[in-house]
Amino acid sequence: MAARKEPVIWMRPEQAPVGRPAERSRAEITTAAVELADQEGIEAVSMRRVAAALGTGAASLYRYVATRDDLLDLMTDSTAAAYDLPAPSGDWQADLLEIARQAQRIMRRHPWLPTLVITRPALGPNGIDLLEHLLDVLADHPAEPARKLEAFALLNALTALSVQNESAATNPGAQRQSVYLRHVATAGTHPRIAALLAATSPDEAPDDQFATVLTRALTGVLG
């Protein structure tokens, strides 16, 4: 017999129907977990550590959140509450790029978030609002609904990767790799790499590069 799968946490009651009255809320627990991850990284987030931050025992948290995975989903979705979602302007590319710009700012505030967006994307109430907004922006676009959903996933993934790359670029290892690549280009044995680096504009801001790549990718998906 196949194992019974629990519904996503947003389809479950805030607290078990039996037991003592609720002393905490999911929102309060999620906030504590986000603050812990912001300060120490996502690896520091455990039921025990979050319970300690709230001044309670880990066992009591399980009355509100069944697993650490549930907690991670709550954390991811909570960050989507920070989006400002105005009415569509009529320029779908500009509107989607604005969503991506906001996503960059949110992910920069929460350095742990890009990894979760890529490895375990969660779609809770705030994420649903964001998806609805994107579909509203694309309401008059002739692309099939499935392509619009792909555009939503692509926007999130590319934005997360861009923020990860920003962080990696400051790593000494990445800087050494850049020096090595320039060394290879000047050695004369890899002319195509040399031509590529010569054609790359050092004056183009990373944000401008991101906008170009994202727009090209979304246009390709939506047709």
Side-chain angles (χ1 to χ4, degrees), residues 87-115:
S89 69
D91 183 340
W92 69 266
Q93 289 187 349
D95 288 351
L96 294 191
L97 186 57
E98 171 57 24
I99 293 174
R101 296 290 194 207
Q102 291 191 51
Q104 282 184 313
R105 293 193 289 271
I106 292 168
M107 292 181 192
R108 287 165 181 160
R109 290 199 298 271
H110 305 290
W112 49 269
L113 182 57
T115 298

PDB file of all heavy atoms in Angstrom, residues 87-115:
ATOM      1  N   ALA A  87      -1.010  47.206 -10.202  1.00  0.00           N
ATOM      2  CA  ALA A  87      -1.753  46.803 -11.396  1.00  0.00           C
ATOM      3  C   ALA A  87      -0.809  46.746 -12.589  1.00  0.00           C
ATOM      4  O   ALA A  87       0.139  47.542 -12.687  1.00  0.00           O
ATOM      5  CB  ALA A  87      -2.885  47.790 -11.666  1.00  0.00           C
ATOM      6  N   PRO A  88      -1.026  45.814 -13.509  1.00  0.00           N
ATOM      7  CA  PRO A  88      -0.157  45.705 -14.690  1.00  0.00           C
ATOM      8  C   PRO A  88      -0.115  47.008 -15.476  1.00  0.00           C
ATOM      9  O   PRO A  88      -1.121  47.707 -15.603  1.00  0.00           O
ATOM     10  CB  PRO A  88      -0.814  44.585 -15.500  1.00  0.00           C
ATOM     11  CG  PRO A  88      -1.547  43.762 -14.487  1.00  0.00           C
ATOM     12  CD  PRO A  88      -2.041  44.740 -13.462  1.00  0.00           C
ATOM     13  N   SER A  89       1.058  47.312 -16.024  1.00  0.00           N
ATOM     14  CA  SER A  89       1.239  48.553 -16.773  1.00  0.00           C
ATOM     15  C   SER A  89       0.868  48.419 -18.242  1.00  0.00           C
ATOM     16  O   SER A  89       0.726  49.421 -18.947  1.00  0.00           O
ATOM     17  CB  SER A  89       2.709  48.993 -16.676  1.00  0.00           C
ATOM     18  OG  SER A  89       3.545  48.092 -17.405  1.00  0.00           O
ATOM     19  N   GLY A  90       0.772  47.179 -18.719  1.00  0.00           N
ATOM     20  CA  GLY A  90       0.558  46.948 -20.145  1.00  0.00           C
ATOM     21  C   GLY A  90       1.829  46.546 -20.859  1.00  0.00           C
ATOM     22  O   GLY A  90       1.789  46.074 -21.996  1.00  0.00           O
ATOM     23  N   ASP A  91       2.969  46.702 -20.205  1.00  0.00           N
ATOM     24  CA  ASP A  91       4.270  46.280 -20.751  1.00  0.00           C
ATOM     25  C   ASP A  91       4.713  45.060 -19.951  1.00  0.00           C
ATOM     26  O   ASP A  91       5.282  45.179 -18.875  1.00  0.00           O
ATOM     27  CB  ASP A  91       5.285  47.413 -20.612  1.00  0.00           C
ATOM     28  CG  ASP A  91       6.651  47.082 -21.211  1.00  0.00           C
ATOM     29  OD1 ASP A  91       6.961  45.883 -21.400  1.00  0.00           O
ATOM     30  OD2 ASP A  91       7.423  48.020 -21.474  1.00  0.00           O
ATOM     31  N   TRP A  92       4.427  43.851 -20.476  1.00  0.00           N
ATOM     32  CA  TRP A  92       4.662  42.649 -19.682  1.00  0.00           C
ATOM     33  C   TRP A  92       6.139  42.443 -19.369  1.00  0.00           C
ATOM     34  O   TRP A  92       6.487  41.974 -18.275  1.00  0.00           O
ATOM     35  CB  TRP A  92       4.077  41.418 -20.370  1.00  0.00           C
ATOM     36  CG  TRP A  92       4.748  40.969 -21.642  1.00  0.00           C
ATOM     37  CD1 TRP A  92       4.398  41.298 -22.908  1.00  0.00           C
ATOM     38  CD2 TRP A  92       5.880  40.092 -21.756  1.00  0.00           C
ATOM     39  NE1 TRP A  92       5.244  40.696 -23.817  1.00  0.00           N
ATOM     40  CE2 TRP A  92       6.157  39.935 -23.131  1.00  0.00           C
ATOM     41  CE3 TRP A  92       6.676  39.422 -20.835  1.00  0.00           C
ATOM     42  CZ2 TRP A  92       7.202  39.154 -23.605  1.00  0.00           C
ATOM     43  CZ3 TRP A  92       7.730  38.630 -21.298  1.00  0.00           C
ATOM     44  CH2 TRP A  92       7.986  38.504 -22.667  1.00  0.00           C
ATOM     45  N   GLN A  93       7.025  42.801 -20.290  1.00  0.00           N
ATOM     46  CA  GLN A  93       8.455  42.616 -20.020  1.00  0.00           C
ATOM     47  C   GLN A  93       8.906  43.504 -18.868  1.00  0.00           C
ATOM     48  O   GLN A  93       9.620  43.048 -17.968  1.00  0.00           O
ATOM     49  CB  GLN A  93       9.268  42.916 -21.275  1.00  0.00           C
ATOM     50  CG  GLN A  93       9.121  41.874 -22.368  1.00  0.00           C
ATOM     51  CD  GLN A  93      10.072  42.129 -23.536  1.00  0.00           C
ATOM     52  OE1 GLN A  93      10.699  43.187 -23.638  1.00  0.00           O
ATOM     53  NE2 GLN A  93      10.181  41.162 -24.422  1.00  0.00           N
ATOM     54  N   ALA A  94       8.480  44.750 -18.879  1.00  0.00           N
ATOM     55  CA  ALA A  94       8.855  45.668 -17.799  1.00  0.00           C
ATOM     56  C   ALA A  94       8.276  45.214 -16.471  1.00  0.00           C
ATOM     57  O   ALA A  94       8.942  45.281 -15.428  1.00  0.00           O
ATOM     58  CB  ALA A  94       8.384  47.087 -18.132  1.00  0.00           C
ATOM     59  N   ASP A  95       7.038  44.731 -16.486  1.00  0.00           N
ATOM     60  CA  ASP A  95       6.401  44.298 -15.244  1.00  0.00           C
ATOM     61  C   ASP A  95       7.072  43.049 -14.671  1.00  0.00           C
ATOM     62  O   ASP A  95       7.264  42.945 -13.453  1.00  0.00           O
ATOM     63  CB  ASP A  95       4.917  44.026 -15.482  1.00  0.00           C
ATOM     64  CG  ASP A  95       4.111  45.298 -15.686  1.00  0.00           C
ATOM     65  OD1 ASP A  95       4.667  46.392 -15.485  1.00  0.00           O
ATOM     66  OD2 ASP A  95       2.930  45.199 -16.052  1.00  0.00           O
ATOM     67  N   LEU A  96       7.429  42.094 -15.536  1.00  0.00           N
ATOM     68  CA  LEU A  96       8.104  40.888 -15.049  1.00  0.00           C
ATOM     69  C   LEU A  96       9.509  41.216 -14.552  1.00  0.00           C
ATOM     70  O   LEU A  96       9.983  40.630 -13.576  1.00  0.00           O
ATOM     71  CB  LEU A  96       8.157  39.821 -16.138  1.00  0.00           C
ATOM     72  CG  LEU A  96       6.814  39.229 -16.575  1.00  0.00           C
ATOM     73  CD1 LEU A  96       7.034  37.998 -17.452  1.00  0.00           C
ATOM     74  CD2 LEU A  96       5.940  38.869 -15.388  1.00  0.00           C
ATOM     75  N   LEU A  97      10.170  42.144 -15.232  1.00  0.00           N
ATOM     76  CA  LEU A  97      11.497  42.551 -14.771  1.00  0.00           C
ATOM     77  C   LEU A  97      11.406  43.230 -13.408  1.00  0.00           C
ATOM     78  O   LEU A  97      12.285  43.042 -12.551  1.00  0.00           O
ATOM     79  CB  LEU A  97      12.155  43.481 -15.790  1.00  0.00           C
ATOM     80  CG  LEU A  97      13.606  43.873 -15.515  1.00  0.00           C
ATOM     81  CD1 LEU A  97      14.496  42.637 -15.395  1.00  0.00           C
ATOM     82  CD2 LEU A  97      14.132  44.794 -16.601  1.00  0.00           C
ATOM     83  N   GLU A  98      10.348  43.975 -13.171  1.00  0.00           N
ATOM     84  CA  GLU A  98      10.156  44.603 -11.864  1.00  0.00           C
ATOM     85  C   GLU A  98       9.951  43.551 -10.783  1.00  0.00           C
ATOM     86  O   GLU A  98      10.470  43.682  -9.666  1.00  0.00           O
ATOM     87  CB  GLU A  98       8.969  45.559 -11.906  1.00  0.00           C
ATOM     88  CG  GLU A  98       8.538  46.123 -10.554  1.00  0.00           C
ATOM     89  CD  GLU A  98       9.647  46.856  -9.818  1.00  0.00           C
ATOM     90  OE1 GLU A  98      10.603  47.345 -10.463  1.00  0.00           O
ATOM     91  OE2 GLU A  98       9.574  46.931  -8.575  1.00  0.00           O
ATOM     92  N   ILE A  99       9.208  42.491 -11.095  1.00  0.00           N
ATOM     93  CA  ILE A  99       9.066  41.396 -10.137  1.00  0.00           C
ATOM     94  C   ILE A  99      10.440  40.810  -9.807  1.00  0.00           C
ATOM     95  O   ILE A  99      10.771  40.554  -8.646  1.00  0.00           O
ATOM     96  CB  ILE A  99       8.152  40.289 -10.704  1.00  0.00           C
ATOM     97  CG1 ILE A  99       6.718  40.798 -10.839  1.00  0.00           C
ATOM     98  CG2 ILE A  99       8.182  39.048  -9.803  1.00  0.00           C
ATOM     99  CD1 ILE A  99       5.783  39.807 -11.524  1.00  0.00           C
ATOM    100  N   ALA A 100      11.241  40.600 -10.859  1.00  0.00           N
ATOM    101  CA  ALA A 100      12.572  40.021 -10.651  1.00  0.00           C
ATOM    102  C   ALA A 100      13.458  40.950  -9.828  1.00  0.00           C
ATOM    103  O   ALA A 100      14.232  40.490  -8.984  1.00  0.00           O
ATOM    104  CB  ALA A 100      13.223  39.718 -11.992  1.00  0.00           C
ATOM    105  N   ARG A 101      13.359  42.249 -10.065  1.00  0.00           N
ATOM    106  CA  ARG A 101      14.153  43.209  -9.289  1.00  0.00           C
ATOM    107  C   ARG A 101      13.773  43.127  -7.808  1.00  0.00           C
ATOM    108  O   ARG A 101      14.642  43.173  -6.926  1.00  0.00           O
ATOM    109  CB  ARG A 101      13.919  44.638  -9.796  1.00  0.00           C
ATOM    110  CG  ARG A 101      14.364  44.913 -11.214  1.00  0.00           C
ATOM    111  CD  ARG A 101      15.852  44.902 -11.340  1.00  0.00           C
ATOM    112  NE  ARG A 101      16.289  45.479 -12.596  1.00  0.00           N
ATOM    113  CZ  ARG A 101      17.415  45.169 -13.219  1.00  0.00           C
ATOM    114  NH1 ARG A 101      18.226  44.272 -12.682  1.00  0.00           N
ATOM    115  NH2 ARG A 101      17.755  45.738 -14.354  1.00  0.00           N
ATOM    116  N   GLN A 102      12.470  43.049  -7.546  1.00  0.00           N
ATOM    117  CA  GLN A 102      12.040  42.920  -6.156  1.00  0.00           C
ATOM    118  C   GLN A 102      12.542  41.603  -5.561  1.00  0.00           C
ATOM    119  O   GLN A 102      12.968  41.562  -4.404  1.00  0.00           O
ATOM    120  CB  GLN A 102      10.515  42.982  -6.076  1.00  0.00           C
ATOM    121  CG  GLN A 102       9.923  44.339  -6.392  1.00  0.00           C
ATOM    122  CD  GLN A 102       8.443  44.403  -6.034  1.00  0.00           C
ATOM    123  OE1 GLN A 102       8.041  44.071  -4.922  1.00  0.00           O
ATOM    124  NE2 GLN A 102       7.630  44.837  -6.982  1.00  0.00           N
ATOM    125  N   ALA A 103      12.481  40.538  -6.365  1.00  0.00           N
ATOM    126  CA  ALA A 103      12.969  39.241  -5.884  1.00  0.00           C
ATOM    127  C   ALA A 103      14.446  39.319  -5.528  1.00  0.00           C
ATOM    128  O   ALA A 103      14.879  38.739  -4.523  1.00  0.00           O
ATOM    129  CB  ALA A 103      12.728  38.172  -6.943  1.00  0.00           C
ATOM    130  N   GLN A 104      15.233  40.014  -6.346  1.00  0.00           N
ATOM    131  CA  GLN A 104      16.657  40.180  -6.034  1.00  0.00           C
ATOM    132  C   GLN A 104      16.845  40.847  -4.685  1.00  0.00           C
ATOM    133  O   GLN A 104      17.666  40.409  -3.869  1.00  0.00           O
ATOM    134  CB  GLN A 104      17.341  41.012  -7.117  1.00  0.00           C
ATOM    135  CG  GLN A 104      17.669  40.284  -8.396  1.00  0.00           C
ATOM    136  CD  GLN A 104      18.420  41.170  -9.366  1.00  0.00           C
ATOM    137  OE1 GLN A 104      18.033  42.327  -9.608  1.00  0.00           O
ATOM    138  NE2 GLN A 104      19.488  40.668  -9.929  1.00  0.00           N
ATOM    139  N   ARG A 105      16.095  41.913  -4.446  1.00  0.00           N
ATOM    140  CA  ARG A 105      16.251  42.642  -3.178  1.00  0.00           C
ATOM    141  C   ARG A 105      15.851  41.764  -1.995  1.00  0.00           C
ATOM    142  O   ARG A 105      16.510  41.781  -0.950  1.00  0.00           O
ATOM    143  CB  ARG A 105      15.412  43.929  -3.218  1.00  0.00           C
ATOM    144  CG  ARG A 105      15.911  44.960  -4.217  1.00  0.00           C
ATOM    145  CD  ARG A 105      15.263  46.309  -3.998  1.00  0.00           C
ATOM    146  NE  ARG A 105      13.866  46.330  -4.386  1.00  0.00           N
ATOM    147  CZ  ARG A 105      13.411  46.619  -5.596  1.00  0.00           C
ATOM    148  NH1 ARG A 105      14.267  46.900  -6.582  1.00  0.00           N
ATOM    149  NH2 ARG A 105      12.122  46.650  -5.861  1.00  0.00           N
ATOM    150  N   ILE A 106      14.773  41.003  -2.155  1.00  0.00           N
ATOM    151  CA  ILE A 106      14.332  40.126  -1.074  1.00  0.00           C
ATOM    152  C   ILE A 106      15.376  39.052  -0.800  1.00  0.00           C
ATOM    153  O   ILE A 106      15.708  38.751   0.356  1.00  0.00           O
ATOM    154  CB  ILE A 106      12.974  39.488  -1.433  1.00  0.00           C
ATOM    155  CG1 ILE A 106      11.882  40.562  -1.454  1.00  0.00           C
ATOM    156  CG2 ILE A 106      12.613  38.385  -0.441  1.00  0.00           C
ATOM    157  CD1 ILE A 106      10.571  40.088  -2.064  1.00  0.00           C
ATOM    158  N   MET A 107      15.931  38.457  -1.864  1.00  0.00           N
ATOM    159  CA  MET A 107      16.921  37.394  -1.698  1.00  0.00           C
ATOM    160  C   MET A 107      18.235  37.923  -1.133  1.00  0.00           C
ATOM    161  O   MET A 107      18.931  37.213  -0.410  1.00  0.00           O
ATOM    162  CB  MET A 107      17.158  36.690  -3.033  1.00  0.00           C
ATOM    163  CG  MET A 107      15.965  35.882  -3.510  1.00  0.00           C
ATOM    164  SD  MET A 107      16.282  35.046  -5.085  1.00  0.00           S
ATOM    165  CE  MET A 107      14.623  34.506  -5.517  1.00  0.00           C
ATOM    166  N   ARG A 108      18.573  39.155  -1.446  1.00  0.00           N
ATOM    167  CA  ARG A 108      19.790  39.736  -0.872  1.00  0.00           C
ATOM    168  C   ARG A 108      19.622  39.958   0.630  1.00  0.00           C
ATOM    169  O   ARG A 108      20.584  39.880   1.393  1.00  0.00           O
ATOM    170  CB  ARG A 108      20.122  41.049  -1.576  1.00  0.00           C
ATOM    171  CG  ARG A 108      20.670  40.876  -2.992  1.00  0.00           C
ATOM    172  CD  ARG A 108      20.644  42.174  -3.759  1.00  0.00           C
ATOM    173  NE  ARG A 108      21.138  42.015  -5.128  1.00  0.00           N
ATOM    174  CZ  ARG A 108      20.870  42.858  -6.110  1.00  0.00           C
ATOM    175  NH1 ARG A 108      20.106  43.935  -5.888  1.00  0.00           N
ATOM    176  NH2 ARG A 108      21.349  42.643  -7.322  1.00  0.00           N
ATOM    177  N   ARG A 109      18.390  40.258   1.044  1.00  0.00           N
ATOM    178  CA  ARG A 109      18.136  40.431   2.482  1.00  0.00           C
ATOM    179  C   ARG A 109      18.158  39.101   3.217  1.00  0.00           C
ATOM    180  O   ARG A 109      18.404  39.056   4.424  1.00  0.00           O
ATOM    181  CB  ARG A 109      16.781  41.122   2.703  1.00  0.00           C
ATOM    182  CG  ARG A 109      16.734  42.579   2.301  1.00  0.00           C
ATOM    183  CD  ARG A 109      15.568  43.303   2.942  1.00  0.00           C
ATOM    184  NE  ARG A 109      14.274  42.778   2.542  1.00  0.00           N
ATOM    185  CZ  ARG A 109      13.585  43.194   1.485  1.00  0.00           C
ATOM    186  NH1 ARG A 109      14.092  44.143   0.701  1.00  0.00           N
ATOM    187  NH2 ARG A 109      12.400  42.686   1.198  1.00  0.00           N
ATOM    188  N   HIS A 110      17.872  38.026   2.490  1.00  0.00           N
ATOM    189  CA  HIS A 110      17.820  36.686   3.081  1.00  0.00           C
ATOM    190  C   HIS A 110      18.747  35.773   2.268  1.00  0.00           C
ATOM    191  O   HIS A 110      18.283  35.057   1.367  1.00  0.00           O
ATOM    192  CB  HIS A 110      16.394  36.141   3.061  1.00  0.00           C
ATOM    193  CG  HIS A 110      15.377  37.037   3.712  1.00  0.00           C
ATOM    194  ND1 HIS A 110      15.331  37.259   5.080  1.00  0.00           N
ATOM    195  CD2 HIS A 110      14.368  37.782   3.185  1.00  0.00           C
ATOM    196  CE1 HIS A 110      14.338  38.081   5.364  1.00  0.00           C
ATOM    197  NE2 HIS A 110      13.731  38.413   4.236  1.00  0.00           N
ATOM    198  N   PRO A 111      20.040  35.774   2.559  1.00  0.00           N
ATOM    199  CA  PRO A 111      21.001  35.025   1.731  1.00  0.00           C
ATOM    200  C   PRO A 111      20.729  33.530   1.625  1.00  0.00           C
ATOM    201  O   PRO A 111      21.213  32.885   0.691  1.00  0.00           O
ATOM    202  CB  PRO A 111      22.337  35.290   2.448  1.00  0.00           C
ATOM    203  CG  PRO A 111      22.134  36.559   3.198  1.00  0.00           C
ATOM    204  CD  PRO A 111      20.712  36.533   3.637  1.00  0.00           C
ATOM    205  N   TRP A 112      19.967  32.966   2.533  1.00  0.00           N
ATOM    206  CA  TRP A 112      19.619  31.545   2.500  1.00  0.00           C
ATOM    207  C   TRP A 112      18.516  31.242   1.500  1.00  0.00           C
ATOM    208  O   TRP A 112      18.296  30.090   1.113  1.00  0.00           O
ATOM    209  CB  TRP A 112      19.151  31.100   3.899  1.00  0.00           C
ATOM    210  CG  TRP A 112      18.128  32.017   4.489  1.00  0.00           C
ATOM    211  CD1 TRP A 112      18.365  33.117   5.285  1.00  0.00           C
ATOM    212  CD2 TRP A 112      16.704  31.961   4.311  1.00  0.00           C
ATOM    213  NE1 TRP A 112      17.201  33.742   5.625  1.00  0.00           N
ATOM    214  CE2 TRP A 112      16.149  33.058   5.034  1.00  0.00           C
ATOM    215  CE3 TRP A 112      15.838  31.111   3.633  1.00  0.00           C
ATOM    216  CZ2 TRP A 112      14.782  33.309   5.092  1.00  0.00           C
ATOM    217  CZ3 TRP A 112      14.474  31.356   3.675  1.00  0.00           C
ATOM    218  CH2 TRP A 112      13.963  32.444   4.396  1.00  0.00           C
ATOM    219  N   LEU A 113      17.775  32.273   1.074  1.00  0.00           N
ATOM    220  CA  LEU A 113      16.573  32.066   0.277  1.00  0.00           C
ATOM    221  C   LEU A 113      16.844  31.518  -1.136  1.00  0.00           C
ATOM    222  O   LEU A 113      16.100  30.629  -1.586  1.00  0.00           O
ATOM    223  CB  LEU A 113      15.780  33.374   0.215  1.00  0.00           C
ATOM    224  CG  LEU A 113      14.462  33.349  -0.545  1.00  0.00           C
ATOM    225  CD1 LEU A 113      13.517  32.296   0.025  1.00  0.00           C
ATOM    226  CD2 LEU A 113      13.807  34.738  -0.505  1.00  0.00           C
ATOM    227  N   PRO A 114      17.855  32.015  -1.875  1.00  0.00           N
ATOM    228  CA  PRO A 114      18.059  31.481  -3.234  1.00  0.00           C
ATOM    229  C   PRO A 114      18.196  29.969  -3.288  1.00  0.00           C
ATOM    230  O   PRO A 114      17.635  29.324  -4.186  1.00  0.00           O
ATOM    231  CB  PRO A 114      19.344  32.184  -3.690  1.00  0.00           C
ATOM    232  CG  PRO A 114      19.358  33.470  -2.935  1.00  0.00           C
ATOM    233  CD  PRO A 114      18.781  33.132  -1.593  1.00  0.00           C
ATOM    234  N   THR A 115      18.907  29.391  -2.339  1.00  0.00           N
ATOM    235  CA  THR A 115      19.081  27.933  -2.341  1.00  0.00           C
ATOM    236  C   THR A 115      17.744  27.221  -2.181  1.00  0.00           C
ATOM    237  O   THR A 115      17.464  26.225  -2.875  1.00  0.00           O
ATOM    238  CB  THR A 115      20.034  27.504  -1.219  1.00  0.00           C
ATOM    239  OG1 THR A 115      21.316  28.089  -1.461  1.00  0.00           O
ATOM    240  CG2 THR A 115      20.179  25.995  -1.172  1.00  0.00           C
TER     241      THR A 115
END
